[in-house]
Amino acid sequence: MNEPIRRSVDVEVRYAETDQMGVVHHANYIVWFEVARTNLCQEIGLHYADIERRGYLLMVTGIEAKYRQGAHYGETVQVTAKIEKLWSRGVRYAYRVEREGELLVTGATQHVWIDRETGKPTRLPADIAAGMKRVAGIRQRARC
Amino acid sequence: MNEPIRRSVDVEVRYAETDQMGVVHHANYIVWFEVARTNLCQEIGLHYADIERRGYLLMVTGIEAKYRQGAHYGETVQVTAKIEKLWSRGVRYAYRVEREGELLVTGATQHVWIDRETGKPTRLPADIAAGMKRVAGIRQRARC
Amino acid sequence: MNEPIRRSVDVEVRYAETDQMGVVHHANYIVWFEVARTNLCQEIGLHYADIERRGYLLMVTGIEAKYRQGAHYGETVQVTAKIEKLWSRGVRYAYRVEREGELLVTGATQHVWIDRETGKPTRLPADIAAGMKRVAGIRQRARC
Amino acid sequence: MNEPIRRSVDVEVRYAETDQMGVVHHANYIVWFEVARTNLCQEIGLHYADIERRGYLLMVTGIEAKYRQGAHYGETVQVTAKIEKLWSRGVRYAYRVEREGELLVTGATQHVWIDRETGKPTRLPADIAAGMKRVAGIRQRARC
């Protein structure tokens, strides 16, 4: 197995994301995870919006996050995503939020693929599945 | 013309709704207006979700708000909505946010009815239109 | 040890809380957990806002959630919180989100108490600590 | 009077910002206006966070927005801010949200400067006031 692809996106803290404690409210990191997931998805060569248009929804089944330091308004953080685990009907992503190299938050989300029509769990079509494997760092044998 | 129906809903301030200024972030009042609009809609005898299910979307075309005092975490505010203007293809609502009688924020939103299938502006079906008129305080002549 | 106190709060789904999948966006359940935590806190006889005013912040150090079913606009859900674990400098809460008895989401959040002045972890003053223990269902021996 | 400085920032639509209508929920544009305001503020040579640190809060007293077209997940929009009016104790910003040249939303926000200590309206210190005037396109006579 190769290493999974890691891809980072800069997120500039929004004033609206702070709370009266003076730091970013903890629920917003979950939204930032999603921003990083969207960003990583582009490594497949498709925007996640296109995957939805083709009839597949990536339903969230679990999330977790650990908070070490808070981000502040006026700061820009780096949110990195990678695929941690991939199976036929789902995927688990892992995330790191850093501020100039300092680790602020780590987390993970777990998902299943849903057929938009039926609302049932499904497998991805071959081309998207192959793209996911590549992003996950899973070496694929030549089909011959 | 009768008076429009006014209907209030209690909203308890959520911690996540505050910002680092220590008050509710101004964008959240727009969400509260929507909560009050949903609440008022029930006077028609239908949940707004049912109106959507019947194929009509209430698209927002304009909003405005004036802020006098901020709401704080730990407080419960009353958000009152009424229909200010009603025409065949749209509606204007007005709102007041109060904290035990003290006026915090006023606002208004303007909307057009959209046909969910075509995405075009449309008129409401007679039963919902009649309900809207009643909520707007528009006396309807008997149809005979 | 007694049973911890469980306290539920009704949350009416807001339109703004939905996403284009047609269900409540997963990050909003984290905000609902907080609403339920605030609600449970009142069992101590103090609003959490008052605890902050006395100089103590309940900093979030970890969250987790498992999603089984999505909530929809037009529905009201019940969010229940209880203290799952309590130690001198922190607390762990567990949550359940239900829709008329059907379990939608479970979760937990972990926290440490922070001294607002120093920004360092701290213990709670005796009266609040005693209240927390009572809510956690920890029997306290008479001090004599 | 010169022209005010206009400054644009790219905003990539977040999945969490959509609602069940399939477009960005209208309250999020208000948050984007703030992102553009923060961005424009940097023309003064100070981050707005630094202005707060110096003891001045830019309290929102009014907002308005007109919606023509909705933004979708998968799109990046350009949000442009400029100062429309500037007076000794307040400021009015105007905004445009565009998607590759197509106008989606226009809006404005009005603010007063508040002294963080007293909570009362105040004037800005000379250096920040001069920066605001420059951004507003107000020619300042040489003081000699």
Side-chain angles (χ1 to χ4, degrees):
Chain A
M1 182 171 165
N2 299 343
E3 276 294 292
I5 294 176
R6 285 156 217 264
R7 198 163 147 163
S8 294
V9 59
D10 275 0
V11 175
E12 203 183 321
V13 175
R14 299 174 176 185
Y15 201 91
E17 290 171 333
T18 63
D19 65 23
Q20 69 180 42
M21 225 182 267
V23 290
V24 170
H25 186 270
H26 59 282
N28 291 310
Y29 293 91
I30 307 305
V31 174
W32 294 357
F33 290 172
E34 191 173 61
V35 169
R37 198 158 66 237
T38 291
N39 183 257
L40 178 64
C41 190
Q42 295 181 1
E43 287 284 337
I44 304 180
L46 277 174
H47 195 282
Y48 172 65
D50 297 315
I51 298 180
E52 279 205 349
R53 258 176 234 121
R54 284 182 57 185
Y56 301 91
L57 299 173
L58 188 59
M59 204 179 68
V60 178
T61 55
I63 62 166
E64 53 194 76
K66 292 219 177 305
Y67 302 85
R68 299 182 183 208
Q69 293 289 331
H72 302 86
Y73 176 65
E75 296 173 351
T76 296
V77 298
Q78 293 72 47
V79 189
T80 308
K82 65 170 183 182
I83 293 179
E84 203 173 67
K85 210 180 139 194
L86 184 69
W87 59 102
S88 64
R89 291 170 187 241
V91 53
R92 181 179 166 89
Y93 292 92
Y95 310 91
R96 292 170 67 85
V97 181
E98 288 166 298
R99 181 180 52 207
E100 295 173 21
E102 186 190 8
L103 185 61
L104 305 184
V105 174
T106 56
T109 59
Q110 205 155 311
H111 308 258
V112 293
W113 289 102
I114 297 289
D115 182 309
R116 202 173 186 166
E117 291 304 311
T118 65
K120 303 281 181 198
T122 188
R123 290 162 189 271
L124 286 175
D127 63 328
I128 306 179
M132 291 292 287
K133 280 183 190 164
R134 193 166 39 73
V135 175
I138 298 171
R139 200 185 296 260
Q140 293 166 70
R141 273 186 296 166
R143 298 182 208 158
C144 54
Chain B
M1 183 172 163
N2 298 342
E3 274 296 291
I5 294 176
R6 285 155 217 264
R7 197 163 149 162
S8 295
V9 58
D10 274 359
V11 174
E12 203 184 321
V13 176
R14 299 174 175 185
Y15 200 92
E17 290 171 333
T18 62
D19 65 24
Q20 67 181 41
M21 225 182 268
V23 290
V24 170
H25 186 270
H26 59 283
N28 291 309
Y29 293 91
I30 307 304
V31 174
W32 294 357
F33 289 172
E34 190 172 62
V35 168
R37 199 158 66 235
T38 291
N39 183 258
L40 177 65
C41 190
Q42 294 181 3
E43 287 284 337
I44 305 181
L46 276 174
H47 195 282
Y48 173 67
D50 297 315
I51 298 180
E52 279 206 349
R53 257 175 235 122
R54 283 181 58 185
Y56 302 91
L57 300 172
L58 188 58
M59 204 179 68
V60 179
T61 56
I63 62 167
E64 53 195 75
K66 293 219 177 303
Y67 302 87
R68 299 181 183 209
Q69 292 290 331
H72 302 86
Y73 176 66
E75 296 173 351
T76 296
V77 297
Q78 294 72 46
V79 190
T80 308
K82 66 169 183 183
I83 292 179
E84 203 174 67
K85 209 180 140 193
L86 185 69
W87 59 103
S88 65
R89 294 174 184 237
V91 53
R92 181 179 166 91
Y93 291 92
Y95 310 91
R96 294 171 65 86
V97 181
E98 288 166 297
R99 182 181 50 207
E100 295 172 22
E102 184 190 10
L103 183 62
L104 305 184
V105 175
T106 56
T109 58
Q110 205 153 312
H111 308 258
V112 292
W113 289 103
I114 296 289
D115 181 310
R116 202 175 186 164
E117 290 304 311
T118 65
K120 304 281 179 198
T122 188
R123 289 162 189 272
L124 286 174
D127 62 329
I128 306 179
M132 292 291 290
K133 279 185 190 163
R134 192 167 38 74
V135 175
I138 299 171
R139 200 186 296 259
Q140 294 166 68
R141 273 185 295 168
R143 298 182 210 158
C144 56
Chain C
M1 182 171 165
N2 298 343
E3 275 295 292
I5 295 175
R6 285 156 218 263
R7 198 164 148 161
S8 295
V9 59
D10 274 0
V11 174
E12 202 184 323
V13 175
R14 299 173 175 185
Y15 200 93
E17 290 171 333
T18 63
D19 65 24
Q20 69 181 43
M21 224 182 269
V23 290
V24 170
H25 186 270
H26 58 282
N28 291 309
Y29 294 90
I30 307 304
V31 174
W32 294 357
F33 290 172
E34 191 173 65
V35 168
R37 198 158 67 235
T38 291
N39 182 258
L40 178 65
C41 190
Q42 294 180 4
E43 287 285 337
I44 305 180
L46 275 175
H47 195 283
Y48 173 65
D50 296 316
I51 298 181
E52 278 206 349
R53 258 175 235 121
R54 283 181 57 185
Y56 302 90
L57 300 172
L58 188 58
M59 202 178 70
V60 178
T61 56
I63 63 167
E64 53 196 76
K66 294 220 177 303
Y67 302 86
R68 298 181 184 210
Q69 293 290 332
H72 302 86
Y73 175 66
E75 296 173 350
T76 296
V77 298
Q78 294 72 48
V79 190
T80 309
K82 66 170 183 181
I83 292 179
E84 203 173 67
K85 210 179 138 193
L86 184 69
W87 59 102
S88 64
R89 292 172 186 237
V91 54
R92 180 180 167 90
Y93 292 91
Y95 310 91
R96 292 170 67 85
V97 181
E98 288 165 299
R99 181 180 52 208
E100 294 171 23
E102 184 189 10
L103 184 62
L104 305 183
V105 175
T106 57
T109 58
Q110 204 154 310
H111 307 259
V112 293
W113 289 103
I114 297 288
D115 182 310
R116 202 174 186 166
E117 290 303 311
T118 66
K120 303 280 180 198
T122 187
R123 289 160 189 274
L124 286 175
D127 63 329
I128 306 178
M132 292 291 288
K133 279 184 191 165
R134 192 167 39 72
V135 175
I138 298 170
R139 199 186 297 261
Q140 294 165 68
R141 276 185 293 166
R143 300 184 208 152
C144 54
Chain D
M1 184 172 164
N2 298 343
E3 276 294 291
I5 294 175
R6 284 156 218 264
R7 199 163 147 162
S8 294
V9 59
D10 274 0
V11 174
E12 204 183 321
V13 175
R14 299 174 176 185
Y15 200 93
E17 290 171 334
T18 63
D19 65 24
Q20 70 182 41
M21 225 181 268
V23 290
V24 170
H25 185 271
H26 58 282
N28 291 310
Y29 293 90
I30 307 304
V31 174
W32 294 357
F33 289 172
E34 190 173 65
V35 169
R37 198 158 67 234
T38 291
N39 183 257
L40 178 65
C41 190
Q42 294 181 4
E43 287 284 336
I44 305 180
L46 277 174
H47 194 284
Y48 172 66
D50 297 315
I51 298 180
E52 279 205 348
R53 258 176 235 120
R54 284 181 57 184
Y56 302 90
L57 300 172
L58 187 59
M59 204 179 68
V60 178
T61 55
I63 62 167
E64 55 195 76
K66 294 219 176 304
Y67 302 86
R68 299 182 183 208
Q69 293 290 331
H72 302 87
Y73 176 65
E75 296 173 351
T76 296
V77 298
Q78 293 72 48
V79 190
T80 308
K82 66 171 183 181
I83 292 179
E84 204 173 67
K85 209 180 139 193
L86 185 68
W87 60 101
S88 64
R89 292 172 186 238
V91 53
R92 181 179 166 90
Y93 292 91
Y95 311 91
R96 293 170 68 84
V97 181
E98 288 165 298
R99 181 180 54 207
E100 296 172 20
E102 186 190 9
L103 184 61
L104 305 183
V105 175
T106 56
T109 58
Q110 204 154 310
H111 307 259
V112 293
W113 289 103
I114 296 289
D115 182 309
R116 202 173 187 167
E117 291 304 311
T118 65
K120 303 281 181 199
T122 187
R123 290 160 189 271
L124 287 174
D127 63 329
I128 306 179
M132 292 292 287
K133 279 184 190 165
R134 193 166 39 73
V135 174
I138 299 171
R139 200 186 296 261
Q140 294 167 66
R141 275 187 293 168
R143 301 184 206 155
C144 55

